Amino acid sequence: MEKSSLTINSKEFSEIFEIKDGLPYFKTYLAGQWIGGDEWQDVVSPIDLNIIARIPRLHWNQIDNTIDLIYKKGRWSIRDTPGEKRLKIYERMASLIDKFREDFVNVLIINNGKTKAAAEGEVNAAIERLIRADLDVRETRGDYVPGDWSSETLETEAIVRREPIGVVLAIVPFNYPLFDTVNKIVYTTVIGNAIIIKPPSSTPLPILMLAKVMELAGFPKDSFAIITVPGKDMNNVVADKRIQAISLTGSTETGEEVIKHAGIKQFIMELGGGDPAIVLSDADLAWAAQRIVTGIISYTGQRCDSVKLILAEEEIYDTLKELIVKELAKSVKVGDPRDPSTTVGPIIDAKTADEWENAIKDAIEKGGKILFGGKRIGPTYIEPVLIEAPKESLKDMYFYNKEVFASAALLVKVKNVDEAIEISNGRRYGLDAAIFGKDINKIRKLQRFLEVGAIYINDYPRHGIGYFPFGGRKDSGIGREGIGYTIEYVTAYKSIVYNYKGKGIWEYL
């Protein structure tokens, strides 16, 4: 395997890093300035665990000064930029990402371990999300409230404004660093908030490149920052009173830790998942098998909406099992994501692969049977696993109780939809569910009783650019992400009441 290394060719990025001993040392962006470091963090490629870059490890005083500048000046700079100009900035950002497409794709392959197709898909999603910012605007309007519906408010009227909350902290996950950052930027700033972005320590490079794109596109310089600091050092940041809202995509455990330290703020959190797919007896089984397998192996299962539990009615269970195994055998090729024939690349780190391996052992000890895969091929390479799980011990399995961020699914035979509902709702998570079938009565019952934020009929769960809103219930999060829907969580209502008593405007009977 060729040693992984980073190549960025566009001259516009040349000023955000310098080469030392053959390794790029990146600067980070702090409200108008590109800053290097006196301490550095290694950035490692999951392809071969080779160090591909270093980024600054910021000190609290640097972060404190940045928050202060954004709070005092930057939140007004973005708010005083007219909305139509903000849309033009997003359009320029989209054009620049497309212009630098080759560099972004290369970085997502090397830094994230994505296949080229997956990296191209993320770049396309980021571009489309920026272009579709115009659809968010429809939710930025307020209301008019007449006063004549209460005796206390006669001869008055009010307007109810929806206005920016101020400064929003965006905590970005490793798995979609470019798209998720773009998404958070759009729904945060389209209404006029400033944004502070905490990139993932493992995959920060696409976000640092995006900061340069924002600068080139004319985004107000003091209205955004990228704070490169390990998650364990974020307690002071999340607790800071100058930050009014936190947008987090990550694990349930991270979300709980942030809420514990943050204090009174507004939250939008998309947390742990791992989704059930319920297959009914009248489903198109070939189609269901193909879509379920895609939902299992896409980005090696490192997606919150990855399929992790398959519940099949007993009449079609054996046939579906056979079709899924055949589809996995046909679809899975584990290897270097730089190889065009690879469909399953590496896991982000060896620690996650260890957890996956231990969860398989746990499932086998509790009566599970491996139907496909389950081999550890290298420190960060795994073969997606399908495990037949007995109902009697299912709820004791690690895979059932925890979200393992890697390709793995439990296959379970169920008697009917009631049993499928009970098993699905028994998990602590409630992000999405998939239903395959035609019986509208069964489907309608599942829609009513499943405790999830989104249900996909005859397809695997996928959030895309958020054209349809998504988000979790229970331990899967707070609020909803989606074009137009997330505005609610980064804004505040302000009622302005006008009193006209005795002015002769109204003459009520």
Side-chain angles (χ1 to χ4, degrees):
M1 183 188 293
E2 180 186 350
K3 184 178 177 182
S4 63
S5 62
L6 197 63
T7 302
I8 299 176
N9 293 317
S10 302
K11 66 180 187 304
E12 288 87 347
F13 293 124
S14 61
E15 66 183 67
I16 72 170
F17 65 88
E18 57 180 319
I19 304 295
K20 300 177 185 177
D21 300 322
L23 200 64
Y25 282 65
F26 279 77
K27 300 174 185 177
T28 195
Y29 185 88
L30 299 180
Q33 289 186 300
W34 286 95
I35 303 292
D38 51 14
E39 288 188 51
W40 298 88
Q41 299 172 214
D42 291 342
V43 180
V44 174
S45 173
I47 292 173
D48 55 8
L49 301 180
N50 186 48
I51 297 172
I52 55 170
R54 291 193 171 98
I55 61 170
R57 180 169 180 161
L58 298 178
H59 300 295
W60 166 246
N61 66 315
Q62 293 173 296
I63 298 170
D64 184 35
N65 291 337
T66 300
I67 296 173
D68 203 50
L69 176 59
I70 290 177
Y71 182 76
K72 289 178 178 176
K73 294 183 178 179
R75 67 182 173 129
W76 296 107
S77 297
I78 184 67
R79 194 165 174 176
D80 292 340
T81 302
E84 57 94 15
K85 288 190 176 180
R86 288 180 221 140
L87 290 180
K88 288 177 181 175
I89 290 170
Y90 303 144
E91 290 169 6
R92 288 195 291 270
M93 286 175 63
S95 295
L96 287 166
I97 291 172
D98 195 33
K99 177 182 176 181
F100 305 139
R101 173 183 292 272
E102 185 179 339
D103 284 331
F104 276 109
V105 167
N106 183 54
V107 167
L108 287 167
I109 293 170
I110 301 300
N111 194 183
N112 274 78
K114 297 200 168 194
T115 62
K116 185 173 182 182
E120 287 274 8
E122 183 168 353
V123 171
N124 291 337
I127 291 170
E128 186 177 1
R129 183 65 183 96
L130 287 160
I131 293 170
R132 287 278 65 88
D134 57 342
L135 296 179
D136 290 272
V137 174
R138 65 190 177 188
E139 298 301 325
T140 64
R141 302 184 180 98
D143 295 303
Y144 166 78
V145 184
D148 66 317
W149 294 94
S150 168
S151 59
E152 292 184 355
T153 55
L154 291 176
E155 296 190 86
T156 68
E157 62 184 356
I159 60 170
V160 182
R161 292 167 49 93
R162 187 187 283 279
E163 60 181 41
I165 199 165
V167 181
V168 176
L169 172 65
I171 302 175
V172 178
F174 81 84
N175 53 346
Y176 290 92
L178 177 62
F179 170 75
D180 198 75
T181 305
V182 162
N183 189 37
K184 292 183 190 306
I185 287 168
V186 172
Y187 68 62
T188 295
T189 66
V190 71
I191 189 78
N193 289 300
I195 189 167
I196 297 170
I197 299 161
K198 192 280 182 204
S201 295
S202 56
T203 60
L205 304 184
I207 300 171
L208 296 175
M209 292 164 62
L210 182 64
K212 185 61 182 176
V213 165
M214 294 173 74
E215 186 182 45
L216 291 170
F219 202 95
K221 292 181 181 294
D222 55 8
S223 298
F224 73 104
I226 316 294
I227 54 170
T228 50
V229 60
K232 62 185 178 66
D233 295 338
M234 282 290 291
N235 288 349
N236 283 345
V237 182
V238 300
D240 199 291
K241 295 292 186 183
R242 294 165 293 185
I243 292 169
Q244 285 87 34
I246 296 176
S247 171
L248 163 70
T249 304
S251 70
T252 297
E253 291 74 18
T254 299
E256 289 172 338
E257 189 71 12
V258 166
I259 289 172
K260 184 168 72 176
H261 291 94
I264 300 172
K265 287 180 172 65
Q266 292 184 193
F267 297 103
I268 170 67
M269 292 189 169
E270 203 234 333
L271 305 176
D275 295 339
I278 299 168
V279 186
L280 305 178
S281 57
D282 63 349
D284 179 336
L285 298 184
W287 172 257
Q290 189 272 322
R291 304 312 278 169
I292 288 170
V293 167
T294 301
I296 295 169
I297 70 173
S298 178
Y299 193 34
T300 321
Q302 298 174 110
R303 297 166 50 234
C304 54
D305 53 7
S306 178
V307 172
K308 295 285 196 287
L309 179 64
I310 307 161
L311 304 172
E313 288 195 295
E314 53 191 8
E315 298 94 324
I316 49 86
Y317 178 84
D318 290 331
T319 303
L320 180 69
K321 176 169 68 172
E322 182 181 346
L323 287 170
I324 291 175
V325 171
K326 284 182 179 178
E327 191 67 35
L328 282 165
K330 181 176 73 173
S331 303
V332 170
K333 185 189 176 191
V334 181
D336 188 328
R338 294 169 293 183
D339 181 344
S341 67
T342 293
T343 59
V344 177
I347 293 294
I348 195 63
D349 55 36
K351 180 181 177 183
T352 304
D354 291 342
E355 183 185 21
W356 172 88
E357 202 169 28
N358 290 332
I360 292 173
K361 292 175 183 174
D362 170 80
I364 292 169
E365 288 170 2
K366 290 167 181 168
K369 176 185 175 184
I370 293 179
L371 300 175
F372 179 89
K375 297 184 180 69
R376 177 94 174 255
I377 298 171
T380 55
Y381 290 86
I382 65 165
E383 191 177 40
V385 66
L386 178 68
I387 299 173
E388 189 170 41
K391 280 183 293 190
E392 301 74 35
S393 57
L394 172 67
K395 291 186 178 181
D396 294 326
M397 290 183 180
Y398 189 90
F399 274 129
Y400 182 85
N401 291 293
K402 295 279 285 184
E403 181 191 31
V404 179
F405 224 49
S407 287
L410 302 176
L411 177 63
V412 184
K413 183 190 295 184
V414 295
K415 293 178 183 176
N416 49 42
V417 294
D418 293 323
E419 198 165 59
I421 290 165
E422 191 272 330
I423 291 172
S424 295
N425 288 348
R427 297 187 76 228
R428 63 188 290 209
Y429 307 108
L431 188 57
D432 316 294
I435 303 169
F436 292 87
K438 302 182 184 73
D439 187 328
I440 190 61
N441 296 311
K442 287 182 178 180
I443 291 171
R444 185 64 185 86
K445 187 171 188 178
L446 287 162
Q447 288 174 2
R448 184 179 182 210
F449 287 102
L450 288 174
E451 297 171 342
V452 295
I455 295 174
Y456 296 76
I457 311 297
N458 291 315
D459 206 354
Y460 68 94
R462 45 191 170 141
H463 298 158
I465 66 165
Y467 187 81
F468 301 119
F470 61 90
R473 292 172 61 175
K474 302 188 291 187
D475 282 0
S476 285
I478 299 169
R480 291 293 177 268
E481 295 212 35
I483 296 175
Y485 286 86
T486 320
I487 297 292
E488 176 181 347
Y489 303 96
V490 293
T491 54
Y493 283 113
K494 181 181 285 181
S495 298
I496 301 166
V497 182
Y498 294 87
N499 182 5
Y500 301 102
K501 291 186 186 295
K503 303 301 181 184
I505 298 171
W506 288 279
E507 295 181 5
Y508 294 114
L509 297 176

